[in-house]
Amino acid sequence: MRVLRRGDAGPDVAEIRSTLAAMELLPPVTESGEYELFDTAMEHAVRAFQQRRGLITDGLVGPATYQALRGASFHLGSRPLAYMFAAPVHGDDVFALQERLTELGFDAGRPDGHFGAQTERALKTFQRDMRLVADGICGPATIRELHRLSSPRARGGRPVFLREQEQVRQAGPRLRGKRIVIDPGHGGEDLGVVAGGLREADIAWDLARRLEGRMKATGMEALISRGPNQSPSEGERAKFANEAGADLFLSLHNDRNPSPKAQGVASFHFGTGNGTTSTVGELLAGFIQRELAARTGMLDCRTHYKTWEIFTRTRCPAVRIEIGYLTNPEDSAKLADPAFRDVVAEGILVAVKRLYLLGEGDQPTGTFTFADVLAHELAKAE
């Protein structure tokens, strides 16, 4: 689909305006001509929707925003739901189904609004237990049983994320054997942000290699999601991590802004804004954010929840790090320095170590070093 923005008009705009009006983000339109115009009020409504859904709040309706808008038009029971490998079903009704199954003790996986194989398995188990036809299709009979049963003790898919935490605890404090996928953003013909003589794809690749070397030195299995001249889609990057059986997924990026004053480092993790969040992803994002802000002197732009595809499609905890603005002279000058990129790589490694330490032998933020990490690994090996 084409990206829609303020000033556009046509049936596509009318469809989106109708959806926003149904969500009470826009008032009903009385004149048919207005209905097909993407005006300032509609742009504000799109931004409000994007912020509510953990999307980039740019006021543009691209593929991700359009998919979320389409999904928001469905509620549980408004259509039959089933697993379709070729064209996966997505929407708020799928999200509600996943949460309801999880509340009832059936592991539907991370509530992400995508009807996948794990959701189908949980649904079939539920249907068998309820003496329904276990066909994996969420139709009227299944909906009736889901509405009949309730479990107020667990909300927001929390059991899924408690399992994440337990996996980290059981993995132990040692880094050896942990499998980490490092995802340098962009690549190939997609250069990402280009400013100040720097290219985001090149910086991300260089950071990935530096981080890979440090992780392998500690005994971790570090895998890079792409080659130097490749640019896989977010879905392909997530598939790589899933097939590798990754314990963590780290995506490296730089940012841009029309204002050269915009600067700083920010970290992102999966979350929907309604209480559903990856607790391990949020914890790791916080560790990374604090380490990088303390070590680099960059402005701390904090951690944020998002529903980006890279988060919804990866089965392991995932974090995306926006390391500075290439459109800011100060950030750009720092990122151009190889020694600075070493500092960033060390900070990310230390943050991963802190995640697995779970408070054991902790040290103040910014003081734990690569040498400390190696020493701790050697001590645990003895």
Side-chain angles (χ1 to χ4, degrees), residues 99-172:
E99 288 211 312
R100 184 62 62 85
L101 288 170
T102 299
E103 290 163 10
L104 295 172
F106 300 90
D107 184 7
R110 177 182 298 174
D112 58 8
H114 293 267
F115 198 118
Q118 190 168 355
T119 302
E120 182 187 49
R121 286 194 296 270
L123 179 58
K124 286 182 175 179
T125 303
F126 170 79
Q127 290 172 326
R128 280 194 294 269
D129 287 359
M130 296 299 107
R131 300 181 183 274
L132 301 171
V133 176
D135 55 6
I137 300 174
C138 186
T142 301
I143 293 294
R144 282 194 296 271
E145 285 300 306
L146 288 169
H147 285 323
R148 185 176 66 83
L149 300 172
S150 63
S151 175
R153 297 178 183 176
R155 301 296 300 175
R158 287 294 181 184
V160 176
F161 303 113
L162 289 174
R163 281 192 286 273
E164 278 189 359
Q165 290 177 286
E166 182 60 17
Q167 287 171 357
V168 169
R169 189 191 68 79
Q170 290 184 356

Side-chain angles (χ1 to χ4, degrees), residues 51-73:
Q51 186 171 34
R52 183 185 296 178
R53 293 303 176 107
L55 300 166
I56 296 175
T57 54
D58 55 10
L60 307 177
V61 180
T65 298
Y66 180 73
Q67 183 185 52
L69 282 165
R70 285 293 304 273
S73 64

Side-chain angles (χ1 to χ4, degrees), residues 237-259:
R237 295 169 194 258
K239 181 180 179 182
F240 175 86
N242 293 339
E243 291 179 348
D247 295 301
L248 298 174
F249 182 92
L250 304 173
S251 190
L252 309 176
H253 286 262
N254 305 119
D255 216 333
R256 63 149 63 92
N257 194 280
S259 170

